[in-house]
Amino acid sequence: EAGVAQSPRYKIIEKRQSVAFWCNPISGHATLYWYQQILGQGPKLLIQFQNNGVVDDSQLPKDRFSAERLKGVDSTLKIQPAKLEDSAVYLCASSSLRRSRNEQFFGPGTRLTVL
Amino acid sequence: AQSVAQPEDQVNVAEGNPLTVKCTYSVSGNPYLFWYVQYPNRGLQFLLKYITGDNLVKGSYGFEAEFNKSQTSFHLKKPSALVSDSALYFCAVRVSGGYQKVTFGIGTKLQVIP
């Protein structure tokens, strides 16, 4: 089966600019996650979707970050405006609803550099 | 609040020797525990999980982990290390039931020396 797809793989922007990331989960996976992984740290959950509804966005900086999952399939994460501290790898993951205790499948990530 | 501690930033082991990567956790309720591996410039890959049942769980690439409830630990082990095992390893925990958030540790870099 195809894995989790993410684009772009790399992005360099200047602070105060906007950026968007795209994720296409594994077919049939109802749960989709966005993580932020800062260098030297573990992934931090930003937002978790169940189908097209938000389950957890407690760690999403809502003044600048937004995410949507229209139609319960692919998802976009947006940062507007970006700050220097947003430089990180943004990971998308998905898991199956039917096996809710299951592992997550991760995409390759988008490396964001904010100058 | 739930948390994961990986006390070692880096573990060095000679090829062919047994390896252990340590993980302890804190959670209110019954834990689900996971190990993931991350190779350079790649996303995380699932290795193994503990949900319930036998405390010793076996996973991919010959790795295993032992759940110890009294010590709140879930150490990753392998009897004989390979150079190709060199990577970043993450322990993760979530509470059982519902759509619970997974919390990751900061990772441990494993270096297998030829």
Side-chain angles (χ1 to χ4, degrees), chain B residues 69-80:
Chain B
K69 187 173 183 178
S70 63
Q71 297 184 6
T72 61
S73 67
F74 190 57
H75 301 330
L76 181 70
K77 300 181 180 183
K78 187 174 183 181
S80 179

Side-chain angles (χ1 to χ4, degrees), chain A residues 37 42 100-104, chain B residues 32 36 38 46 49 51 105:
Chain A
Q37 186 178 17
S100 61
R101 302 175 299 176
N102 252 12
E103 66 272 20
Q104 298 174 25
Chain B
Y32 293 166
Y36 288 84
Q38 187 174 36
F46 170 77
K49 65 183 177 185
I51 302 298

